[in-house]
Amino acid sequence: MSDRVYPSTKPKPTAGAPPLPNPPSKFRQPYRPTPRQPVKKTKPQLSCRRCCCLVCFWSILLLTLTLLAAAIAAAAFYALYHPHRPAFSVTSLKISAFNLSTTPADDSTRLTAKLNLTLSAKNPNKKFLFSYAPISISLQSDSITLANNTYPAFNSSPSAISLIHTSTPPRTQLLDADSLNSIKSHLRRGGLPIRILLDTTLIVRMDNIKTKRFGIRVTCDGIHGIVPKGKTVIPAKTTDAQCEVDLRIKILKWTF
């Protein structure tokens, strides 16, 4: 018994025709997206530059607030108490001795002078007491120091006027040509311009509160001193005398 040969149902490609596409697969795999890796959350880190900026910002802010608070406190203190610096004036001045002597051996000239001075120191405050340290007094004419002395420490009560009286010891000094010519020029015009310089330190007290000691300089100008004639001492002209008080407050290394 012979086997039957059945013809194939698949058509044979003809010569020159393109190949037939494969039939679609009956078992197509479904689309599954690739899972994403979880993102790790990291804490933000401050850079060195940002830290420096923050430190500078807070430092400047604190400094500004401190200065503002100090200014407000100072304004409130001034409004409540109205503090005033001490006031000085020249009461009298006399040149009690004045002598120019020349040495023939070297043709040098020496000046010997002695002065009597009275100043008034007023405390214009109603609630503050001034405590003065010893006062250094210098009397000058142009750049020449005629005499100097010291006055002891004292206290000036509120609204009080204290008198500072001193008689300087005789001072002898050698004059150069410029100083001698300056003095002779003033003497020909009838007298000497005199400046008074006072240097001391001061403490301000109010009840149990007191400040640190700070320096003051008093400068008195506008004084016309008259040289004595023989034994007659003539008072200086002090009607145009004016005294200025400068506070020398030291903060760290600076003095104002």
Side-chain angles (χ1 to χ4, degrees):
M1 187 173 178
S2 63
D3 295 332
R4 290 185 179 182
V5 179
Y6 297 93
S8 176
T9 58
K10 185 177 181 181
K12 295 181 180 182
T14 57
L20 296 175
N22 294 325
S25 176
K26 295 182 179 180
F27 304 99
R28 183 182 296 271
Q29 296 292 334
Y31 173 75
R32 294 180 181 179
T34 305
R36 296 183 179 181
Q37 296 293 331
V39 180
K40 296 182 179 180
K41 296 183 178 180
T42 58
K43 295 182 179 180
Q45 297 180 354
L46 295 177
S47 63
C48 181
R49 182 177 180 182
R50 188 175 179 184
C51 289
C52 293
C53 292
L54 288 176
V55 171
C56 291
F57 171 77
W58 285 110
S59 300
I60 294 174
L61 181 60
L62 290 176
L63 179 61
T64 303
L65 292 177
T66 302
L67 294 177
L68 182 61
I72 294 174
F77 180 82
Y78 182 82
L80 288 175
Y81 299 104
H82 296 286
H84 297 282
R85 64 183 65 190
F88 287 78
S89 60
V90 180
T91 302
S92 66
L93 186 145
K94 296 179 181 179
I95 302 177
S96 55
F98 191 89
N99 183 34
L100 289 172
S101 59
T102 303
T103 304
D106 55 0
D107 198 25
S108 60
T109 302
R110 286 175 170 80
L111 169 64
T112 302
K114 180 182 178 181
L115 290 87
N116 296 328
L117 172 66
T118 302
L119 296 170
S120 63
K122 181 181 180 181
N123 182 357
N125 299 280
K126 297 181 180 181
K127 296 184 179 181
F128 300 119
L129 182 142
F130 292 155
S131 294
Y132 291 93
I135 302 175
S136 174
I137 303 173
S138 177
L139 297 101
Q140 302 177 354
S141 179
D142 291 340
S143 59
I144 305 168
T145 300
L146 300 177
N148 47 32
N149 204 358
T150 57
Y151 189 81
F154 67 97
N155 292 332
S156 180
S157 302
S159 302
I161 297 178
S162 305
L163 293 179
I164 301 173
H165 178 75
T166 181
S167 180
T168 66
R171 174 186 170 89
T172 302
Q173 58 182 314
L174 182 65
L175 297 179
D176 56 21
D178 293 337
S179 299
L180 180 60
N181 292 333
S182 175
I183 287 180
K184 287 183 176 180
S185 175
H186 288 305
L187 291 177
R188 286 193 293 266
R189 288 179 283 179
L192 295 174
I194 296 178
R195 167 180 286 185
I196 303 172
L197 296 177
L198 281 74
D199 288 295
T200 184
T201 57
L202 181 67
I203 292 178
V204 181
R205 303 174 185 269
M206 185 184 67
D207 298 331
N208 295 327
I209 302 174
K210 70 176 182 178
T211 65
K212 291 186 177 180
R213 190 173 295 276
F214 57 90
I216 66 170
R217 161 163 282 195
V218 182
T219 305
C220 300
D221 283 316
I223 305 168
H224 184 75
I226 301 176
V227 175
K229 297 178 180 180
K231 295 183 179 181
T232 304
V233 178
I234 304 174
K237 296 179 181 179
T238 60
T239 53
D240 296 332
Q242 293 183 350
C243 297
E244 294 183 358
V245 180
D246 295 324
L247 304 181
R248 297 189 167 187
I249 301 174
K250 187 175 182 180
I251 301 177
L252 298 181
K253 297 182 180 180
W254 295 275
T255 302
F256 300 89

